[in-house]
Amino acid sequence: MDVTTDPSAPWLIAGLGNPGPEYAMNRHNVGFMVADLLAERIGGKFKRAGKAQAQVVEGRIGPPGPGSRRVVLVKPMSYMNLSGGPLNALRDFYKVPVGHIVAVHDELDIDYGTLRLKLGGGDNGHNGLKSMTKVMGPDYHRVRFGIGRPPGRMQVADFVLKDFSAAERKELDYFVDRAADAVECLVIEGLERAQGTYNS
């Protein structure tokens, strides 16, 4: 669980979501949105990862030189509740320690746009985390992107599979940008610094 055991080991950053254009702007797909922005920042394009049910981008985050970190950005293409399988296969392929895995995902119990970073913990009913924990244990990092609770009596499943509202979309780019910053800070400067800067 100690992320300092092998600083040269790559980081696997998993944006969680569902594949397909019909899901692209869903609240449940905010992990994909953050992964897409990170890929853009490192100048890469997502490509199919061999036999794994996932798309990947390889690159480096951080300033040129010894301060940069090798990263593998991943978008599982297996649907949310089966995210763990492709991620575990890629973890084995790239020889990534669990402490160098980051899941970026939507979080119902946090207000919209609020970020919380942590290492380990439960899945809080999130099917993507549930699938990851089943195959690799709970000791990976999470960047939790708040989407708030469903209004009225709307079911959770309906809420997360709906697009962000028009009001939410006005600030969505800013919040996704901030979440990408938080991922970079976590990878380069460590969890404590990232929590101090981005947890709210």
Side-chain angles (χ1 to χ4, degrees):
M1 202 158 99
D2 180 6
V3 299
T4 60
T5 46
D6 181 6
S8 67
W11 285 75
L12 192 152
I13 299 165
L16 300 186
N18 286 309
E22 68 272 33
Y23 298 107
M25 289 304 295
N26 286 182
R27 293 181 177 93
H28 222 20
N29 268 44
V30 75
F32 274 18
M33 296 173 199
V34 176
D36 284 337
L37 179 56
L38 286 166
E40 197 179 302
R41 288 183 180 184
I42 65 175
K45 284 197 179 349
F46 277 101
K47 294 176 183 162
R48 189 83 185 192
K51 294 180 181 176
Q53 262 190 301
Q55 293 183 352
V56 300
V57 173
E58 295 180 56
R60 299 190 80 85
I61 280 177
S68 72
R69 300 284 182 269
R70 185 178 161 218
V71 296
V72 182
L73 306 175
V74 186
K75 295 194 297 185
M77 294 285 120
S78 55
Y79 291 98
M80 183 67 87
N81 60 354
L82 297 172
S83 300
L87 292 174
N88 205 38
L90 290 168
R91 176 187 77 147
D92 288 346
F93 179 78
Y94 288 103
K95 298 180 170 51
V96 180
V98 176
H100 275 211
I101 294 172
V102 183
V104 186
H105 64 93
D106 57 305
E107 178 60 64
L108 286 158
D109 286 338
I110 304 175
D111 290 340
Y112 174 61
T114 299
L115 294 177
R116 298 271 167 77
L117 287 78
K118 69 174 187 173
L119 176 62
D123 57 55
N124 203 23
H126 192 288
N127 287 331
L129 298 183
K130 201 175 287 184
S131 177
M132 286 181 67
T133 298
K134 186 176 179 183
V135 294
M136 62 181 71
D139 298 327
Y140 52 89
H141 290 88
R142 298 103 189 278
V143 174
R144 304 155 73 206
F145 185 111
I147 61 170
R149 301 293 304 182
R153 296 185 178 183
M154 185 186 288
Q155 294 295 310
V156 164
D158 294 333
F159 179 69
V160 299
L161 293 175
K162 279 200 184 327
D163 288 358
F164 284 101
S165 69
E168 287 169 335
R169 282 200 296 274
K170 289 177 183 172
E171 295 182 293
L172 183 59
D173 287 349
Y174 167 76
F175 289 138
V176 167
D177 195 65
R178 192 164 182 271
D181 290 346
V183 171
E184 291 181 345
C185 184
L186 167 62
V187 169
I188 297 163
E189 301 187 59
L191 178 61
E192 200 172 316
R193 174 64 66 88
Q195 285 175 324
T197 305
Y198 294 98
N199 276 15
S200 47

